[in-house]
Amino acid sequence: MKFRRIQIGRHLRDKFHGSWMVISLVLVMSSPVFLFVGLSVKSWLLLEENSIFHLLLSKEWKPLSGQFGFYPFIISSVWVTVVALLISAPICLLTSIHLTQYAKKWVLKIMHPIIDILAGIPSVIYGVWGILVVVPAISNYVGPFLGKQVSGYSILAGAIVLSIMIIPFILNILIEIFRNIPTELSEASLSLGASKWQTIKFVLVKRAMPGIISALGLGMSRAFGETIAVLMVVGNVTKIPTGLFQPGYPLPALIANNYGEMLSIPLYDSALMLAALILFVVVMLFNFASRLVIIESEKHA
Amino acid sequence: MNIKKIEERFFRVLMFCSTVIIATTLMLIIFSILYKGLPSVSWEMLTSTPKGGFYFGKGGGVLNAIIGSLYLSLGATFLAFLFGLPLALYMNVHLIKHQKLVNGIRFVLDLLWGVPSIVYGAFGFTIMIFFGIRASLLAGIITVTLFIIPIMVRGMDEVLKSVPRGLLESSLSLGSTQAETSYRVYLKQCIPGVITAILLSFGRAIGDAASILFTTGYTDYIPTSLNQPTATLPLAIFFQLSSPIVEVQNRAYASAVILVTIILIISILARVFSSKFHKNKINF
């Protein structure tokens, strides 16, 4: 009898745990749908009155008179993201090759915790560092060096801070990709008389190309959505930037900066939620494509 | 020397330099924060809440933000654990025969991981409006939970994935149920790795500012219930830094030192636990 009761208890417990697991699975898996629907419903009010193309391409941002043109913000976002990627891509590529092909054990032992810590530092701290070091450096040294009067709060400052933030992220993926390349490939190349560098250049990098591109794509989408650190150093002026030393106003900064007043002006909250929706969709598409490419290239390995 | 050799030399120097750049940047970040912030760190900073005139440079500390941040991240980590661990186990025990489905789940989790925290913040705000909750600890916890669940599940999944299949088969063949296999065999086998995943998500939760900007509000008091607004360290740094008064700015740097210290402790702990994991691992 006792044994029987224990048996029933065990199976009830199994049922309970099983259903809790399924509930967790369904909740987590449906959250992207919730995110999309929630933001869409909120931004619908604005989309009903304006076409999406008009909103994206209009330069007029005057919430008080109901004009919401996202163009300056989108262009700022693109500037910051692209410049950040231009800075971090070569550094990541070179470092990942160094760490996977040349570096001695002790270098790896030092670099692993460094990359981990860089990845874990909160974005506010990067922002503080930007204000302490990057912004003064630009206004005191880089600007005068080029013969310009600049405040330092600029696209360039935002891009530098961002590039440091996405380095650990891209680097980890690149290291993983280079490690996954079968050693037979480089052995074959070396035995044919190619030098180590030739092997890296013509065999490894070529083989890793899809992975490299998608790692950069993932880094780019990370940079695109980064908020606080950029907000702190980029200047936040609603104007279309035309150069590295001009202030910009990327989309995430727009959302973060205006949450306080958004409920007091009609449609303002709707506009900010639309900005969040744009971020969500763009980042999702980028991630989707990059991850697919990585999975495809792993299949062939 | 031929041109090929020179090229290789050149690139090796470049590679070495970029590695050094990354290492020195980290040193530079930590050094500049400590240099600027340490002089302003005081016992009062750590142990008192803001007093009258705090935002004009008078007495008080950021205890409200420290405690608020801890409440928020502990709550969110707990909630994420409640859903995250079962999900990770389910993927690796129950669904082990359906690798395609598991890979699909991993794919969605990776996508969710990539969503910027400000989007979670905006979404949290719409939920808040929908349910009529005001900016509070509870709203913050829900938002941060959404934000860290993918990080936690993927972290746990990475370790659970490495459990040899033989262990699953022997556990099931001895008559244990799937739940028992999950919690008594898999979880036990991976405890250090699971703790690492929890610590890393806790670190994410305590450091993020964009997701809680809309949802937790800000207050000078230590919250006593879930319905009250809560101060957090990242926002304390952010708000104090935008003040024109030097004393207040200095306190922002001091708060940054506190936050960096917490993050460093977490990452050292995570490292300790993950090295333990490699020691305990059973190899078939």
Side-chain angles (χ1 to χ4, degrees), chain B residues 149-204:
Chain B
I149 272 190
I151 302 172
M152 190 185 274
V153 177
R154 281 299 269 133
M156 291 176 176
D157 177 45
E158 274 317 302
V159 252
L160 290 171
K161 209 161 69 172
S162 68
V163 174
R165 188 152 175 175
L167 208 58
L168 174 85
E169 281 157 4
S170 33
S171 164
L172 289 179
S173 66
L174 287 172
S176 41
T177 61
Q178 279 177 318
E180 283 164 349
T181 311
S182 305
Y183 288 100
R184 300 216 177 131
V185 181
Y186 267 60
L187 182 58
K188 221 173 200 170
Q189 171 78 1
C190 297
I191 271 277
V194 168
I195 293 176
T196 305
I198 294 173
L199 281 172
L200 289 180
S201 344
F202 182 79
R204 282 278 135 167

Side-chain angles (χ1 to χ4, degrees), chain A residues 10 14 20 25 29 34 94-95 98 102 116 119 122 129 197-198 201 222 227 231 259 262 273 283 291, chain B residues 4 7-8 11 18-19 32 82 87 105 107 110 113-114 118 123 125 175 179-180 204 207 214 238 271:
Chain A
R10 280 180 63 209
D14 187 48
W20 183 246
L25 176 72
M29 285 302 111
F34 282 126
L94 289 168
T95 309
H98 183 67
Y102 289 106
D116 279 359
W129 174 71
W197 175 246
Q198 283 173 322
K201 202 163 72 170
R222 181 123 304 201
T227 313
L231 163 74
Y259 75 103
M262 69 182 170
M273 291 306 148
V283 167
R291 296 266 178 215
Chain B
K4 268 184 225 157
E7 190 190 319
E8 173 156 14
F11 273 98
S18 58
T19 313
S32 59
L82 219 56
L87 174 51
I105 297 172
F107 190 76
D110 283 341
W113 191 344
I118 186 89
F123 177 65
F125 180 77
E180 283 164 349
R204 282 278 135 167
F214 301 103
F238 183 60
R271 209 141 249 290

Side-chain angles (χ1 to χ4, degrees), chain B residues 207-258:
Chain B
D208 193 65
S211 62
I212 49 175
L213 202 53
F214 301 103
T215 45
T216 51
Y218 199 85
T219 167
D220 284 351
Y221 306 100
I222 294 170
T224 49
S225 86
L226 281 173
N227 295 319
Q228 288 176 352
T230 309
T232 47
L233 264 178
L235 290 186
I237 298 170
F238 183 60
F239 290 145
Q240 292 181 91
L241 204 57
S242 50
S243 152
I245 300 160
V246 179
E247 284 86 5
V248 181
Q249 286 187 7
N250 282 338
R251 269 203 295 252
Y253 298 131
S255 318
V257 172
I258 299 171

